[in-house]
Amino acid sequence: MRTGDIILGQYQVCRQLGKGGMGEVYLAKDMQDGMLWAIKLQAYNENNYELLSSEVEVQSKLNHPAVPKIRQTYTMDRYLYIVMEFVEGRTLDDYLKTGEIIPENIALKWFQQICDVLVYLHGQDVPIVYRDLKPSNIMIQPSGDVKIIDFGIAGEYQQGEKPRRKQMALTRGYAAPEQYNSRYMMDVRTDIYALGVTMHYMLTGKNPNTPPYYFRPVRKLNRDISYGLEYIVKKCIQPNPDKRYGSATELRDELDGIGRLEKKLKKKRTAQKRRIMAGASAVLLLSVCLFLFVKSKRSATINAYYSYLGQAEDYRNAGAYEEALQIYEKAAKMQPEAREAYLGTANIYLENGSYEDCYRILKDMADRFPDIFEDEEFIRITRELYRFYDEK
């Protein structure tokens, strides 16, 4: 469409607001009363019509000041038109692309407002999981308040129901680990993860889609951030959903009481320092004794294991991948409870394009090590592997 075109016999196009995989969005003026509206235009077919209709159905049910209201929908010539409230302002993504790090007081305000939206969505009679929270879907209005836009893959969630994934366009970096694996359930904690990633980006300026592909503690990147907010973000982005906040309400309560949390963490740090100082000599002595005991019993095996790892790394750096894989295999048999040899093997397969073999190793590690989803190197390799499949 072009500027000046008339849509649905009522709306005159002013300009294009955006264009992407989920359609085109135009700013249009109602010729009857002069009000401005956003009109989303999306081509549909038998494969995607249900998904598009779901967006309209979900958003039409909502009545929240931070969610744009839908005025009407219309289908014509295999296109779905959605006329909705026009939201002035810039996306959070626009702010962050400038390299700007959001001050804590402002970030905390937006954190609370977005969390309020999640409380509302998750609190519906049939909870709605947004599933695509990211900076480009968060509008910052001239007033400084936020609105959440684009409910393209939001869906109602029933306990025990596995959402369909084939039609869902996941956003790399913000999608929770469980969104990549059909064996795991998506629920309200999926949105909490994406909100945590967004907040980490806001507070640190570290884009989750740039290397290294893991989340360093917030205060390691920005010392101006409070321990309380660092703690909250860290809990939100735990790979294991059971270690995140159980609900948006629980998260909002923590945010509202961040002052108390800060005092609690400060008291805890002080107590830890005192215990460390008081017991330093005893711990050192115990560590030395334990080290000597373990060394006397296992030094030969451990030394051989790490020697193998060093040899394998040398072969790998020299491009002798077959030799490196053989050495890693020996190391894995020697110390089956250690994960370094498996990670080295997965890295070689990934670097050489043996993606099926890489997937096999990762799956074996997931079965072998219950806590592997907290290993940063495992997460990095997994993301790189999914990046290949996304591009393919």
Side-chain angles (χ1 to χ4, degrees), residues 93-356:
D93 192 47
D94 290 334
Y95 279 95
L96 296 176
K97 282 180 177 177
T98 66
E100 180 178 357
I101 296 177
I102 310 300
E104 177 167 341
N105 62 324
I106 297 176
L108 181 60
K109 171 188 172 182
W110 292 346
F111 203 164
Q112 291 170 316
Q113 289 185 354
I114 298 169
C115 192
D116 283 339
V117 178
L118 295 184
V119 170
Y120 173 76
L121 295 177
H122 299 168
Q124 298 299 300
D125 292 338
V126 179
I128 295 172
V129 182
Y130 184 75
R131 297 193 289 202
D132 197 27
L133 193 60
K134 56 187 177 182
S136 60
N137 285 344
I138 298 170
M139 291 291 297
I140 309 300
Q141 302 176 90
S143 65
D145 294 323
V146 303
K147 275 188 182 285
I148 308 300
I149 61 174
D150 198 343
F151 281 70
I153 64 172
E156 295 179 330
Y157 162 76
Q158 293 279 14
Q159 184 69 31
E161 178 185 73
K162 286 190 175 183
R164 291 171 298 170
R165 288 168 162 78
K166 290 184 179 180
Q167 293 181 325
M168 289 176 56
L170 304 182
T171 301
R172 184 186 302 135
Y174 297 91
E178 62 267 21
Q179 289 181 269
Y180 288 102
N181 195 325
S182 60
R183 291 187 304 171
Y184 298 100
M185 293 298 301
M186 284 185 287
D187 58 23
V188 297
R189 296 171 298 179
T190 300
D191 286 341
I192 291 173
Y193 179 90
L195 176 55
V197 174
T198 300
M199 289 305 304
H200 189 282
Y201 189 1
M202 287 172 57
L203 297 171
T204 66
K206 169 63 176 63
N207 188 324
N209 285 311
T210 58
Y213 299 106
Y214 62 89
F215 299 104
R216 296 181 63 192
V218 168
R219 282 180 49 81
K220 292 289 186 181
L221 300 173
N222 184 355
R223 301 292 293 181
D224 294 332
I225 302 304
S226 66
Y227 286 97
L229 196 52
E230 177 187 57
Y231 172 88
I232 292 173
V233 171
K234 180 180 179 180
K235 187 170 181 178
C236 287
I237 60 178
Q238 290 296 311
N240 184 344
D242 293 336
K243 294 188 177 182
R244 300 174 205 154
Y245 290 98
S247 68
T249 299
E250 181 185 348
L251 171 57
R252 184 183 61 183
D253 291 343
E254 190 93 292
L255 288 169
D256 292 344
I258 195 169
R260 295 189 300 273
L261 176 62
E262 186 72 17
K263 292 179 180 178
K264 179 181 176 181
L265 293 174
K266 182 178 180 180
K267 184 177 180 181
K268 184 178 179 180
R269 289 196 310 275
T270 302
Q272 286 176 338
K273 289 179 180 179
R274 289 175 179 171
R275 286 196 299 270
I276 291 172
M277 293 177 64
S281 298
V283 170
L284 179 60
L285 179 60
L286 179 61
S287 298
V288 171
C289 293
L290 183 60
F291 171 76
L292 292 175
F293 174 77
V294 172
K295 184 177 180 181
S296 66
K297 297 294 185 181
R298 301 182 58 195
S299 59
T301 301
I302 293 175
N303 288 340
Y305 175 73
Y306 283 102
S307 176
Y308 277 143
L309 292 182
Q311 293 176 39
E313 187 66 18
D314 289 340
Y315 277 125
R316 176 184 169 191
N317 291 335
Y321 298 114
E322 289 298 329
E323 291 83 352
L325 288 173
Q326 292 174 8
I327 298 297
Y328 275 135
E329 183 179 0
K330 290 181 180 180
K333 290 180 179 179
M334 179 174 290
Q335 291 287 321
E337 73 281 3
R339 61 188 65 176
E340 294 90 353
Y342 300 100
L343 289 170
T345 301
N347 259 319
I348 289 179
Y349 284 139
L350 181 65
E351 291 170 3
N352 285 276
S354 301
Y355 299 112
E356 294 298 328

Side-chain angles (χ1 to χ4, degrees), residues 358-374:
C358 182
Y359 174 78
R360 174 176 54 80
I361 294 296
L362 294 178
K363 185 177 183 299
D364 180 60
M365 292 183 71
D367 295 335
R368 187 183 296 270
F369 306 109
D371 63 340
I372 193 63
F373 289 99
E374 298 179 21

